[in-house]
Amino acid sequence: MEAVAVHPLTTLKVGEILRDVLPPGVLNVVSGDAGLGPRMTEHPGIDMISYTGSTRTGRQVMAGAAPTLTRVTLELGGNDPAIVLPDVDVPAVAEKLFWGAFANSGQVCLAIKRLYIHRDVYEPLKQALAAYAGTVRMGPGTEAGVRLGPVQNRPQYDRILDLLDDSRAHGHSFAIGGHPQGQGQDSPGYSVPLTLVDNPRRTRASSRRSSSVRSCRSSGSTTSRTPSPGPTRASTDSARPSGRPTRKRPWPSADAWRRARCGSTRSSTSPRTSPSRATSSPASAPRAGPRA
């Protein structure tokens, strides 16, 4: 297991805890600079690589593993959405959505980055999220009562500021946050206020890019809970010559798909042959000779 260069202590602590639980050699934790990853992916003694992170780095992992044909499992570029339907309990779901997006200051790969909220509850839920965010204290983790701390490193902090600048440049409104105080190279720390972008355009960078940071986007949706009809086969009347009848056939059943993929378990007979002709009568069937 590779400990991330910008925050290795947690992974090293996990290795220390498991050292007395697992047999020797089952888990090895290594730490180093940015050059450690390429050395691991190119090493012929590693049979499989699992990586979670950006798409750009995932390409480098695949390229490094290609010469030795090392197997890889990649989880890349997450931009996780949450979909809110109109029958929710708004006060109860607001708190759950908040921590789903902002736990650990949003620095979790599976954190919610986008909210798609039904229009019937969009405004009440947006207000509930903003109100709850106002009750969450931010600051240094060593202080009592603080529930959210700063961003972990400078590159990630600068990336957040770029996303916020992009949102402001495109005229987005903010339900909360959006304007860090003292931002820039001379800022005293990497603190960014909780930010909820109100209904941004989906084509913008703030909606397309995975942030893994302390910001979240919300969008009004007209999706209802009306169930969609089952799959139907499109009619091909327009493609047939005039005068020819068109028969609309239903989708094949699960049994039909199974027979098509795996073969029938019955003996093969011609569809034009009746069962009586395909099966020999007991009187005409040849008798088996004596066994040796």
Side-chain angles (χ1 to χ4, degrees), residues 28-111:
N28 297 290
V29 180
V30 293
S31 60
D33 56 15
L36 176 61
R39 290 196 293 270
M40 292 180 64
T41 57
E42 297 170 2
H43 198 286
I46 296 178
D47 297 327
M48 183 176 180
I49 299 167
S50 176
Y51 170 77
T52 300
S54 68
T55 302
R56 178 178 60 84
T57 304
R59 293 191 182 100
Q60 297 174 354
V61 171
M62 290 194 71
T68 55
L69 295 179
T70 302
R71 293 180 297 169
V72 295
T73 298
L74 305 176
E75 183 183 349
L76 309 176
N79 201 359
D80 307 85
I83 301 174
V84 182
L85 300 177
D87 60 349
V88 299
D89 181 345
V90 171
V93 80
E95 181 176 353
K96 296 177 181 178
L97 289 171
F98 177 88
W99 290 112
F102 296 114
N104 197 34
S105 296
Q107 300 170 113
V108 183
C109 63
L110 49 75

Side-chain angles (χ1 to χ4, degrees), residues 218-274:
S218 64
S219 301
S221 171
T222 58
T223 304
S224 65
R225 295 200 68 178
T226 304
S228 60
T232 56
R233 178 167 294 186
S235 174
T236 56
D237 291 347
S238 60
R240 293 178 178 270
S242 60
R244 292 184 60 184
T246 301
R247 184 178 65 174
K248 296 181 179 179
R249 294 177 293 178
W251 284 90
S253 64
D255 289 338
W257 278 113
R258 192 178 300 109
R259 289 195 298 269
R261 291 175 61 86
C262 305
S264 174
T265 57
R266 296 178 296 178
S267 60
S268 175
T269 60
S270 171
R272 296 180 180 272
T273 304
S274 63

Side-chain angles (χ1 to χ4, degrees), residues 108-174:
V108 183
C109 63
L110 49 75
I112 298 171
K113 285 84 171 178
R114 297 170 291 157
L115 287 175
Y116 292 100
I117 306 170
H118 192 280
R119 58 183 176 182
D120 290 350
V121 293
Y122 182 82
E123 287 298 327
L125 183 54
K126 180 181 72 173
Q127 296 172 9
L129 282 167
Y132 183 81
T135 67
V136 178
R137 185 182 173 188
M138 300 176 57
T142 54
E143 296 183 3
V146 170
R147 306 190 69 182
L148 292 176
V151 180
Q152 198 274 335
N153 58 78
R154 185 84 211 188
Q156 190 73 348
Y157 174 76
D158 292 337
R159 188 180 182 207
I160 302 172
L161 300 187
D162 289 342
L163 289 173
L164 296 178
D165 290 342
D166 178 82
S167 288
R168 288 193 294 269
H170 289 98
H172 295 163
S173 61
F174 299 91

